[in-house]
């Protein structure tokens, strides 16, 4: 078996990614066909920058999802194949088994693992954490930022002080303090998770109650249903193996195992919690600023005269009108979260050492960078293109939302 | 103005106190203390030995008390075993007579920053030495970053929508999308590796600590500068485009002032107010960049110390590092506020 030439490598990678191409073409065809009926999302397809950004983002989203379903990857991301250590891209396997892919398309890393497969699996690591972390950060930021901006006064001073406190911390120092095995053992991340994950529930409860409290016959069953589900999900999230907190000294019982359908790996939880923790003060400041601006508008005064409650005004009058800047910031925040996750991986914090995420892979590859480029460069370029895509997408959205 | 600064300073001190207490609390959790005991003593210590080691070195007191001692508002602990006194303010076991001579308070208020357990040296000397190294790095970063960012921003913003604007804006988006560990790796791969063969620069900056040259110092500086550059450039562009559509610029144009003079004499002064704040608020981000780049290029400055201290749970060094970084962040915030008022006469502090 001969090594592949550069052209062959490119062709084979493109072929390997075919599910991604098909999905992308499908998505774009559908979106462009119906773009007039899709609101802001449809308008995105009027701006070339937004389209390029969206394509880059969706490329990695599809690659991550299909990669997680083992469709694109050529080899197992953790298995080491003898004789493939630091081999250049396109090297054939020494003795491929029946049905096994015969080449390392992007070469092998310093532990003889396939760089291409790790790259695709690394996309999934980002796709599964970053958007969720951004959503949680937004829930926390919105739930606290709206009242701070609307009421002002002592509440605002206090919350702003807390936000500035967290923002004054250098992010890396915070990560080094929070994301260590010792801290995980002491249960601090679990407490933080318990506090931070409450905010979506509060948000949902206030959102629904403020809208429907005039119709108790609808509100009560709706609230019981939605909150019941949310609290159940919350308990599943925060309790692990039947315990909320389990340290050497003491433990607090949580949801019984029978009702607990998924457990979150403590290493992953601490990463997730710290990323949310770092992001939410910035969201808080943005929401607070927007609220202070919007609350002086006439329609807010009209709602106040109508006698609407403060939470109704905040959530159903102010928030929808602040959506433009918030959507833009949401895209940027996912990009920033991706960078943060890469930073964590780069310093070897939190995630498992053999994890295929891009930050860890860059960190592994950089030590031999002067001789072998191929293990470190693909994840670096992948991270760059994903974050660039998100920034371009945000730019396109900003441009389009300013047009109306 | 004086009252404003005074108020800001008191908030600053309060913030610094809160933050150091958080760091103190996190580093003094049982699991972290156990790790510290095992790295300082030996890895195979039993639980009882760990407890006695912590007892002997004053770590088993309540956290609030220890924090007070570190600050210097509570008297430092002492411990007498068989006529030998050890304590926070005493170096090594001494006789009770000598111990009586030692100061009662020794915290940061008294100027005692403590002792680093990793480097086995006074914290103040370590921090001072490393800060000067990082200061040099930061200085060159600012020298490179600020003028080029402003230039890109002004060039892109003075004629909105042109080809220059679009290409420069794309460049600045690209740089904001490239975190230091990505751009650093790419630069090392292109400019230093034997695989590409350019070998223009050195892949490590270790030698730059004693003897910085263009060859060994440019890449780390460029790596940090690039990430912040795009953001400042975009802000400058935004403020420049806003100014260029203002009424007085139109008046100047109709009067027949040349485009060069409009930009340099009329627009620039107003357009540079917003970027000033942004540049000041970039300092906390630069601090992150410093940690990454110093690790990547093996330049043993302040960021490298942060990683060492945090990785080894070196409590007093870590506290000193966080005090320094928090003070840097808060001071730049203060300067940016004051500078904003100074630059923009329309804003008055009530």
């Amino acid at each position: 078996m001969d090594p592949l030439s550069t052209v062959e490598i490119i062709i084979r990678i493109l072929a390997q990614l075919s599910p991604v191409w098909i999905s992308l073409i499908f998505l774009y065809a559908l979106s462009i066909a119906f773009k007039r009926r899709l609101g802001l999302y449809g308008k995105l397809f009027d701006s070339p920058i937004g389209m390029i950004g969206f394509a880059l983002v969706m490329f990695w989203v599809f690659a991550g999802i299909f990669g997680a379903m083992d469709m694109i990857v050529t080899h197992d991301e953790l298995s080491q194949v003898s004789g493939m250590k630091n081999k250049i891209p396109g090297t054939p396997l020494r003795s491929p088994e029946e049905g096994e892919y015969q080449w390392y398309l992007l070469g092998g890393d310093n532990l003889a693992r396939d760089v291409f497969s790790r790259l695709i699996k690394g996309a999934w690591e980002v796709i599964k954490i970053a958007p969720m972390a951004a959503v949680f950060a937004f829930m926390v930021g919105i739930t606290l930022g709206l009242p701070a901006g609307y009421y002002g006064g002592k509440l605002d001073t206090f919350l702003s002080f807390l936000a500035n406190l967290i923002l004054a911390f250098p992010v890396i120092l915070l990560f080094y303090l929070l994301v260590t095995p010792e801290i995980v053992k002491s249960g601090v991340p679990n407490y933080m998770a318990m506090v931070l994950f409450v905010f979506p529930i509060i948000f949902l409860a206030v959102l629904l109650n403020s809208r429907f409290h005039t119709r108790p016959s609808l509100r009560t069953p709706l609230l019981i249903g939605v909150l019941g589900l949310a609290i159940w999900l919350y308990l599943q999230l925060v309790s692990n193996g039947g315990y909320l907190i389990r340290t050497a000294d003491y433990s607090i019982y949580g949801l019984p195992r029978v009702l607990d359908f998924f457990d979150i790996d403590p290493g992953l939880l601490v990463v997730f919690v710290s990323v949310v923790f770092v992001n939410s003060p910035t969201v808080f400041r943005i929401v607070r600023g927007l609220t202070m601006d919007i609350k002086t508008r006439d329609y807010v005064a009209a709602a106040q005269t109508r006698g609407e409650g403060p939470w109704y005004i905040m959530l159903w009058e102010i928030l929808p009108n602040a959506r433009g800047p918030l959507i833009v910031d949401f895209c940027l925040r996912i990009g920033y979260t991706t960078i943060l996750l890469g930073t964590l991986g780069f310093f070897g914090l939190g995630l498992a050492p053999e994890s295929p995420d891009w930050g860890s892979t860059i960190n592994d590859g950089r030590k031999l960078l002067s001789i072998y480029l191929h293990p470190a460069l693909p994840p670096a370029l992948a991270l760059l293109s994903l974050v660039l895509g998100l920034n371009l997408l945000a730019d396109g959205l900003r441009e389009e939302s300013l047009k109306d | 103005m004086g009252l404003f600064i005074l108020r800001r300073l008191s908030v600053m001190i309060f913030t610094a106190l809160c933050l150091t207490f958080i760091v103190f609390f996190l580093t003094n959790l049982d699991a972290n203390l156990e790790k510290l005991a095992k790295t300082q003593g030996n890895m195979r210590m039993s639980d009882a030995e760990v407890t006695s080691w912590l007892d002997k070195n004053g770590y088993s007191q309540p956290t609030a008390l220890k924090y007070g001692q570190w600050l210097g508002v509570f008297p430092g602990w002492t411990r007498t075993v068989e006529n030998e006194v050890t304590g926070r303010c005493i170096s090594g076991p001494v006789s009770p007579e000598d111990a009586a001579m030692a100061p009662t308070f020794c915290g940061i208020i008294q100027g005692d920053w403590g002792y680093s357990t990793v480097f086995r040296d006074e914290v103040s000397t370590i921090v001072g030495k490393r800060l000067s190294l990082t200061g040099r790095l930061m200085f060159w970063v600012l020298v490179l970053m600020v003028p080029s960012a402003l230039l890109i921003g002004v060039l892109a913003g003075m004629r909105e929508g042109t080809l220059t604007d679009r290409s420069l804006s794309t460049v600045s988006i690209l740089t904001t999308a490239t975190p230091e560990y990505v751009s650093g790796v790419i630069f090392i791969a292109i400019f230093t590796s034997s695989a590409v063969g350019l070998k223009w620069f050195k892949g490590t900056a270790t030698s730059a600590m004693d003897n910085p040259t263009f060859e060994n110092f440019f890449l780390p500086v460029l790596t940090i500068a690039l990430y912040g550059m795009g953001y400042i450039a975009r802000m400058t562009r935004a403020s420049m485009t806003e100014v260029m559509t203002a009424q007085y610029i139109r008046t100047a144009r109709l009067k027949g002032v040349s485009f060069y003079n409009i930009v340099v004499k009329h627009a620039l002064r107003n357009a540079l107010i917003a970027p000033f704040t942004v540049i000041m608020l970039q300092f906390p981000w630069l601090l992150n960049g410093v940690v990454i780049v110093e690790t990547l290029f093996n330049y043993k400055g302040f960021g490298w110390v942060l990683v060492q201290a945090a990785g080894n749970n070196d409590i007093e060094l870590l506290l000193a590092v966080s005090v320094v970084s928090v003070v840097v962040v808060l001071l730049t915030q203060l300067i940016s506020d004051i500078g904003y008022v100074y630059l923009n006469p329309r804003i008055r502090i009530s």
Side-chain angles (χ1 to χ4, degrees):
Chain A
M1 197 67 70
D2 294 327
L4 298 173
S5 69
T6 315
V7 180
E8 279 175 311
I9 294 173
I10 295 172
I11 293 173
R12 280 187 180 274
I13 288 177
L14 292 181
Q16 207 60 36
L17 288 168
S18 48
V20 176
W21 305 128
I22 295 169
S23 324
L24 267 184
I25 291 168
F26 218 63
L27 179 74
Y28 265 67
L30 275 181
S31 310
I32 291 174
F34 295 106
K35 71 176 174 185
R36 291 285 156 251
R37 280 192 249 160
L38 289 170
L40 184 61
Y41 170 74
K43 277 196 208 132
L44 190 63
F45 292 86
D46 290 334
S47 124
I49 289 204
M51 265 168 81
I52 295 172
F54 190 60
L56 279 173
V57 175
M58 288 320 284
F59 171 82
W60 286 114
V61 171
F62 285 134
I65 292 172
F66 290 131
M69 294 172 358
D70 283 332
M71 278 172 77
I72 300 172
V73 292
T74 52
H75 297 86
D76 182 53
E77 79 274 14
L78 297 180
S79 69
Q80 311 177 355
V81 176
S82 73
M84 296 307 286
K85 185 176 168 183
N86 289 326
K87 283 288 184 289
I88 56 163
T91 310
L93 294 188
R94 251 190 216 165
S95 46
E97 284 166 30
E98 195 70 27
E100 197 180 14
Y101 203 79
Q102 291 175 350
W103 295 275
Y104 267 13
L105 284 174
L106 287 176
D109 66 3
N110 62 344
L111 288 172
R113 298 168 298 195
D114 182 28
V115 173
F116 177 72
S117 305
R118 288 178 69 78
L119 179 71
I120 301 294
K121 287 281 183 184
W124 174 239
E125 296 288 322
V126 172
I127 299 300
K128 105 183 145 184
I129 304 176
M132 270 319 269
V135 167
F136 274 86
F138 262 76
M139 291 284 187
V140 177
I142 289 174
T143 318
L144 294 177
L146 281 175
Y150 187 76
Y151 291 117
K154 288 225 174 64
L155 179 76
D156 181 28
T157 317
F158 174 69
L159 288 176
S160 295
F161 176 75
L162 280 189
N164 289 338
L165 199 67
I166 301 171
L167 285 175
F169 244 115
V171 177
I172 292 183
L173 180 62
L174 199 65
F175 279 162
Y176 258 110
L177 289 173
L178 279 179
V179 191
T180 60
E182 284 77 26
I183 297 278
V184 174
K185 242 189 278 172
S186 69
V188 172
N190 295 65
Y191 283 111
M192 287 173 63
M194 278 155 71
V195 174
L196 287 177
F197 294 165
V198 163
F199 284 99
I201 301 182
I202 299 177
F203 179 77
L204 270 180
V206 179
L207 183 78
L208 293 174
N209 187 45
S210 64
R211 177 87 188 196
F212 297 113
H213 71 105
T214 45
R215 283 184 282 167
S217 58
L218 174 67
R219 182 214 38 191
T220 315
L222 188 72
L223 270 187
I224 290 174
V226 171
L227 286 190
L229 194 69
I231 289 172
W232 185 42
L233 278 176
Y234 168 79
L235 285 174
Q236 289 196 58
L237 259 177
V238 295
S239 80
N240 222 337
Y243 293 94
L244 285 184
I245 287 160
R246 196 172 190 184
T247 62
D249 306 327
Y250 66 99
S251 50
I252 301 173
Y253 286 99
L255 199 64
R257 265 187 226 183
V258 194
L259 294 171
D260 198 353
F261 289 122
F262 58 90
D263 273 341
I264 304 232
D265 171 53
L268 192 66
L269 184 76
V270 69
V271 168
F272 191 81
V273 168
S274 6
V275 171
V276 173
F277 187 68
V278 169
N279 271 316
S280 32
T282 329
V283 183
F284 165 81
R285 292 234 289 218
I286 295 169
V287 174
R288 173 178 166 271
L290 286 170
T291 312
M292 282 164 82
D293 176 28
I294 294 176
K295 79 171 177 190
T296 56
R297 304 281 167 88
D298 287 344
Y299 51 80
V300 175
Q304 280 164 344
T305 326
R306 265 199 329 264
E308 302 284 5
W311 281 102
Y312 177 87
I313 295 173
M314 282 183 238
L315 288 166
W316 293 95
E317 301 279 351
I318 294 177
L319 191 58
N321 287 297
R323 70 182 182 280
L326 287 184
I327 292 172
V328 172
D329 186 70
F330 185 71
C331 294
L332 293 175
R333 200 129 306 277
I334 297 177
Y336 181 56
T337 313
T338 311
I339 291 180
L340 284 183
L341 288 175
T343 312
L344 279 172
F346 182 77
F347 285 106
L349 297 168
L351 301 154
E354 72 275 13
S355 144
D357 73 286
W358 293 337
S360 313
T361 325
I362 293 173
N363 187 29
D364 287 342
R366 77 183 166 95
K367 287 155 196 155
L368 287 171
L369 205 55
S370 58
I371 321 164
Y372 304 111
L373 303 180
H374 60 273
L377 272 188
L381 294 175
L383 198 140
L384 170 61
S385 63
L386 176 59
V387 179
L388 179 66
L390 284 159
N391 283 12
L392 290 177
L393 178 63
D395 235 45
L397 283 171
R398 182 185 295 134
E399 223 169 77
E400 290 305 315
S401 68
L402 281 179
K403 274 186 188 163
D404 13 88
Chain B
M1 193 70 181
L3 198 69
F4 166 74
I5 295 178
L6 207 69
R7 237 181 62 201
R8 285 297 300 263
L9 275 176
S10 58
V11 172
M12 228 176 94
I13 291 170
F14 186 58
T15 312
L17 281 177
C18 289
L19 284 177
T20 45
F21 185 75
I22 296 171
V23 177
F24 205 88
F25 175 77
L26 285 174
T27 45
N28 275 283
L29 285 171
D30 290 347
N32 272 332
L33 286 179
E34 189 184 324
K35 183 174 143 199
L36 179 71
K38 283 184 175 165
T39 45
Q40 291 302 307
N42 70 65
M43 284 320 263
R44 296 210 192 86
M45 273 183 172
S46 68
D47 284 353
E49 281 169 331
V50 168
T51 320
S52 86
W53 188 90
L54 291 178
D55 241 9
K56 210 169 73 191
N57 290 286
Y59 287 110
S60 48
Q61 307 165 74
T63 307
L65 196 65
K66 276 186 288 185
Y67 182 68
Q69 292 176 4
W70 175 78
L71 268 184
V73 292
F74 292 149
W77 57 273
T78 51
R79 189 182 151 87
T80 316
V81 178
E82 295 166 0
N83 246 350
E84 281 192 333
V85 183
T86 51
R88 187 185 154 80
C89 310
I90 305 160
S91 52
V94 291
S95 61
E97 292 79 39
D98 289 341
M101 304 281 285
T104 335
F105 296 93
C106 50
I108 52 167
I109 295 177
Q110 286 80 22
D112 187 343
W113 288 82
Y115 188 77
S116 158
T117 47
V118 177
F119 294 101
R120 306 200 179 279
D121 197 357
E122 288 294 321
V123 167
S124 45
T125 32
I126 299 171
V127 170
K129 187 173 145 212
R130 301 299 170 184
L131 256 185
S132 69
L133 285 173
T134 298
R136 196 160 66 200
L137 186 64
M138 289 285 246
F139 172 74
W140 287 109
V141 167
L142 290 177
V143 166
L144 179 68
M145 178 173 81
V146 175
S148 36
L150 293 181
L151 191 68
I152 292 177
V154 169
L155 283 180
M158 66 185 191
R159 284 205 179 99
E160 203 186 350
T162 54
L163 188 69
T164 327
D165 176 23
R166 291 205 176 269
S167 39
L168 285 177
S169 299
T170 314
V171 169
S172 38
I173 292 184
L174 188 67
T175 63
T176 44
T178 322
E180 292 89 350
Y181 51 90
V182 169
S183 51
V185 161
I186 293 175
F187 287 147
I188 293 178
I190 295 176
F191 294 120
T192 71
S193 74
S194 47
V196 173
L198 284 179
K199 290 205 165 185
W200 291 352
F201 300 106
K202 289 226 168 69
T204 69
T206 316
S207 54
M209 290 193 292
D210 306 318
N211 173 32
T213 59
F214 184 67
E215 197 189 12
N216 58 22
F217 209 46
F218 181 64
L219 275 192
V221 169
L222 180 67
T223 309
I224 304 180
L226 213 55
Y227 185 48
M229 196 146 78
Y231 189 63
I232 301 178
R234 292 182 70 170
M235 289 298 155
T236 317
R237 179 187 172 273
S239 111
M240 189 71 190
T241 49
E242 204 185 308
V243 170
M244 287 305 277
T245 52
Q247 294 287 334
Y248 72 95
I249 296 289
R250 202 172 64 177
T251 314
R253 240 186 204 184
L254 293 174
K255 242 169 42 178
V257 182
S258 71
F259 188 72
Y260 174 82
N261 274 338
I262 290 180
V263 170
V264 173
K265 288 198 177 144
H266 297 259
L268 217 51
R269 220 189 108 93
N270 267 323
L272 291 184
I273 296 174
F276 171 77
T277 328
V278 176
I279 292 169
M280 278 300 158
L281 296 180
Q282 277 283 311
F283 271 90
W285 301 98
L286 287 182
L287 213 63
N288 278 331
V290 162
V291 179
I292 295 172
V293 165
E294 284 182 359
T295 313
L296 190 60
F297 287 93
N298 205 15
Y299 183 81
K300 292 178 176 143
F302 187 68
W304 179 79
V305 166
L306 191 156
V307 172
Q308 296 300 320
N312 294 300
N313 202 40
D314 188 340
I315 298 173
E316 290 188 327
L317 185 56
L318 199 52
L319 282 164
V321 166
S322 36
V323 168
V324 171
S325 35
V326 164
V327 166
V328 167
V329 172
L330 297 176
L331 265 186
T332 49
Q333 276 176 9
L334 185 70
I335 294 173
S336 97
D337 282 0
I338 296 172
Y340 196 68
V341 174
Y342 182 72
L343 287 175
N344 192 350
R346 277 171 294 186
I347 294 181
R348 284 279 163 264
I349 293 158
S350 46

